[in-house]
Amino acid sequence: MKQAELKPTGFAPPHGDMSAEDFRRYGHEIIDWISNYLESVEKLPVLAQVAPGELQAKLPDTAPEQGESMETILADVDRLVVPALTHWNHPAFFAYFSISASAPGIFGELLAAAFNVNGMLWRTSPASTEMEEVALGWLREMMNLPTKFEGIIYDTASVSTMHAIAAAREALNLNIREEGMSGRADLPLLRVYCSEQAHSSVEKAVIALGLGQRGLRKIPIDTEFRMNPDALAQAIDEDRQSGALPFCVVATVGTTSTTSIDPVPAIADLCERYKLWLHVDAAYAGSAAIVPEMRDVLDGCARADSLVTNPHKWLFTPIDLSVLYSPRMDVLRRAFSLVPEYLRTGEGDTVRNGMDYGIQLGRRFRSLKLWMVMRYFGHEGLAARIREHCRLARLFADWVEEARDWEALAPAPFSTICFRACPSIEGEADEARAVRLDTLNEKIMHAVNTSGEAFISHTRLNNVLALRLAIGNIRTTEVHIRRTWQLLNEVAKN
Ligand code: PLP
């Protein structure tokens, strides 16, 4: 008897892939399962309630010698994997920046996985390359960016920003591509600038690019957590006088801690004056520019040399999908294009080959999910959802402002609120109060998060611990915001 006949359906056949019949059957089951999961995700604890190592301890150390049935595998997903998930799809996920796997986005991922194309070259999948150009053209228009901004998709904003700074360095024409930087007496200290509130990815980028942490200067901020352009000008002048070479400024629209907006027009003026590359990190807040009345959040960004926005943050596209826009794609290409014989094709410059625009060769068909999200919801539908998140954030901010024992710790221009509980004790010294409130808010956060009902995160602002509630999940409604406010008040009292 053949091996396949020995095994009931659900096991791998002796050769080749799963049978089409089994694929169809499990495919239906999995879609049903996902449907139920999304429908009932809010009944699950949003933050995984497992101890470190708990899942690992339940899984064997080695892969099975013989294939196992899909039933067994799927049962283990349910039994072991799901309890160890922190549910980013939960409508009360308010930590970090909350994200969404919207249904059309999930379908886009599924189809991309099924096609499994590698879009490294135009010919290795014209659909992937051309869909990327179309989808990024649509998004550019929705964000009201100039048509001279061409886009390229990477996995994350960290990677987009690293590529932008690499392009900025290439634009210096210092032969760094050919000669490198080490052992060169002819190179001055190359300097990048960002605010004290910029994301750590900027610092990681300078580390990765061999510019070193010394190559990054963090510019002080104003009382609303925005880069101070006068301080930037002063830093550039000082560096020039001391022989360093300023070459790039990273401005942020929507900083990670408070979502503050750096004054991009003033920063763009300085970049023009000193001939510096201006990169804008709009990873989170760039999506807000698709809302017509919020377009001004990108004021000045049309003058940037590059801008990153992450549809996987606030545009309902499953992680990962980050877009780098630049009117100077030729410089990025100059920094990275390297074509070995085995990748040379006859199309020449008539097409775009994704591999020319970065460190990676292989490219997933990421644009498909973004295209499906934009088509399904439409510009108006996407804008309406972002607008609603901002309304919910204002509502929450109002509750904080009106409550006697709570205070806002930063303006909330988008859908993220920084706040804390601040009950007073008469006659308490400032230092003791500071320590007490940090401890209290840490406890509040812990209590909310271990309740499983909601998940919030924190940051430090002006040296105090701030709670952070970031609204961004497509399934979040006013009910979830109200319940979380109630929960915060309950745990603050205990
Ligand atoms: N830039 C900003 C402003 C962010 O808030 C974040 C992450 O939250 C990043 C960059 C990094 O994003 P990614 O995880 O896509 O690298």
Side-chain angles (χ1 to χ4, degrees):
M1 221 188 282
K2 281 191 255 142
Q3 199 184 343
E5 289 165 32
L6 285 171
K7 288 185 171 178
T9 174
F11 286 93
H15 304 288
D17 197 5
M18 183 184 284
S19 71
E21 188 194 343
D22 275 4
F23 184 82
R24 187 168 293 110
R25 192 171 124 221
Y26 293 112
H28 282 290
E29 258 179 43
I30 289 170
I31 293 290
D32 271 346
W33 188 95
I34 295 174
S35 236
N36 293 336
Y37 166 71
L38 292 177
E39 211 170 25
S40 57
V41 65
E42 68 183 289
K43 296 193 190 113
L44 300 170
V46 53
L47 177 66
Q49 312 280 306
V50 290
E54 206 174 306
L55 173 63
Q56 264 179 309
K58 288 178 185 158
L59 294 170
D61 289 337
T62 53
E65 284 299 328
Q66 303 291 319
E68 298 180 77
S69 78
M70 276 309 285
E71 276 84 359
T72 317
I73 301 167
L74 293 177
D76 280 355
V77 169
D78 229 342
R79 189 173 63 91
L80 302 176
V81 178
V82 174
L85 288 174
T86 287
H87 294 283
W88 288 72
N89 284 314
H90 195 297
F93 186 110
F94 300 123
Y96 315 110
F97 281 125
S98 70
I99 57 175
S100 310
S102 66
I106 295 171
F107 288 147
E109 278 285 15
L110 185 62
L111 287 170
F115 296 145
N116 197 32
V117 298
N118 180 340
M120 57 194 189
L121 298 164
W122 174 84
R123 68 161 52 180
T124 60
S125 187
S128 173
T129 302
E130 295 187 17
M131 179 68 82
E132 183 161 328
E133 295 194 50
V134 169
L136 300 191
W138 289 5
L139 179 62
R140 175 184 62 211
E141 183 168 339
M142 281 166 42
M143 292 172 69
N144 203 29
L145 289 169
T147 49
K148 64 179 180 183
F149 277 52
E150 288 175 72
I152 182 92
I153 294 178
Y154 298 114
D155 53 359
T156 57
S158 305
V159 168
S160 294
T161 290
M162 191 200 74
H163 282 87
I165 298 175
R169 187 178 62 178
E170 177 64 22
L172 287 170
N173 291 321
L174 288 174
N175 266 355
I176 290 174
R177 178 185 158 118
E178 299 78 12
E179 305 286 333
M181 295 173 68
S182 64
R184 281 181 68 175
D186 63 323
L187 280 188
L189 173 68
L190 302 184
R191 198 80 102 166
V192 179
Y193 305 83
C194 66
S195 94
E196 289 166 350
Q197 289 285 312
H199 189 262
S200 54
S201 53
V202 182
E203 194 161 338
K204 280 203 182 178
V206 297
I207 295 170
L209 291 168
L211 297 158
Q213 284 168 296
R214 198 165 67 100
L216 180 67
R217 195 157 167 180
K218 294 186 184 169
I219 305 300
I221 45 169
D222 66 14
T223 52
E224 298 197 357
F225 308 97
R226 302 170 296 201
M227 188 194 288
N228 176 341
D230 294 335
L232 173 64
Q234 195 185 332
I236 295 169
D237 282 338
E238 277 170 16
D239 280 351
R240 282 158 52 103
Q241 274 156 25
S242 69
L245 180 57
F247 77 101
C248 177
V249 180
V250 181
T252 310
V253 172
T255 54
T256 311
S257 280
T258 70
T259 71
S260 61
I261 305 169
D262 285 341
V264 177
I267 295 170
D269 287 345
L270 289 173
C271 288
E272 267 164 29
R273 187 184 326 151
Y274 292 108
K275 302 206 166 13
L276 313 183
W277 184 287
L278 172 58
H279 174 60
V280 176
D281 178 354
Y284 156 70
S287 298
I290 73 158
V291 182
E293 66 274 21
M294 294 182 81
R295 272 191 170 165
D296 59 0
V297 301
L298 290 186
D299 271 358
C301 292
R303 295 162 67 194
D305 297 285
S306 53
L307 176 145
V308 57
T309 185
N310 274 10
H312 80 224
K313 276 193 165 46
W314 203 10
L315 210 64
F316 317 114
T317 305
I319 193 165
D320 46 13
L321 199 161
S322 175
V323 182
L324 181 70
Y325 282 113
S326 175
R328 304 179 68 183
M329 273 298 171
D330 54 319
V331 183
L332 184 66
R333 189 169 190 272
R334 217 168 68 208
F336 286 104
S337 179
L338 190 68
V339 187
E341 182 55 31
Y342 45 83
L343 292 171
R344 196 169 54 77
T345 65
E347 284 87 34
D349 285 343
T350 58
V351 296
R352 182 199 235 202
N353 292 316
M355 69 163 189
D356 287 337
Y357 297 87
I359 197 73
Q360 68 183 86
L361 170 62
R363 300 179 62 77
R364 300 205 307 120
F365 192 175
R366 288 198 183 88
S367 57
L368 186 62
K369 59 185 170 182
L370 176 60
W371 178 74
M372 289 176 67
V373 165
M374 287 189 289
R375 285 196 69 173
Y376 181 75
F377 295 111
H379 185 171
E380 272 184 27
L382 292 168
R385 284 163 175 81
I386 291 174
R387 191 181 287 120
E388 172 65 2
H389 288 166
C390 294
R391 184 189 75 81
L392 295 176
R394 273 195 305 277
L395 194 64
F396 188 91
D398 286 347
W399 296 334
V400 169
E401 291 288 352
E402 286 159 16
R404 201 178 41 139
D405 289 343
W406 295 87
E407 65 180 349
L409 293 172
F414 299 104
S415 65
T416 299
I417 307 108
C418 293
F419 64 103
R420 69 170 177 171
C422 57
S424 49
I425 295 179
E426 242 185 60
E428 189 179 25
D430 284 354
E431 230 169 86
R433 174 179 153 85
V435 173
R436 177 177 60 85
L437 291 185
D438 273 6
T439 311
L440 170 68
N441 282 284
E442 186 107 44
K443 278 190 182 151
I444 291 174
M445 177 170 68
H446 184 69
V448 167
N449 294 345
T450 49
S451 78
E453 276 200 71
F455 182 24
I456 56 172
S457 59
H458 76 285
T459 187
R460 270 200 104 69
L461 300 172
N462 298 321
N463 209 23
V464 307
L465 188 124
L467 302 178
R468 233 177 122 274
L469 181 123
I471 302 166
N473 185 273
I474 197 161
R475 298 171 191 89
T476 302
T477 67
E478 196 171 316
V479 171
H480 305 106
I481 307 293
R482 284 191 182 277
R483 174 59 197 140
T484 303
W485 178 236
Q486 194 185 19
L487 184 62
L488 279 160
N489 279 281
E490 281 165 18
V491 299
K493 277 203 195 88
N494 297 325

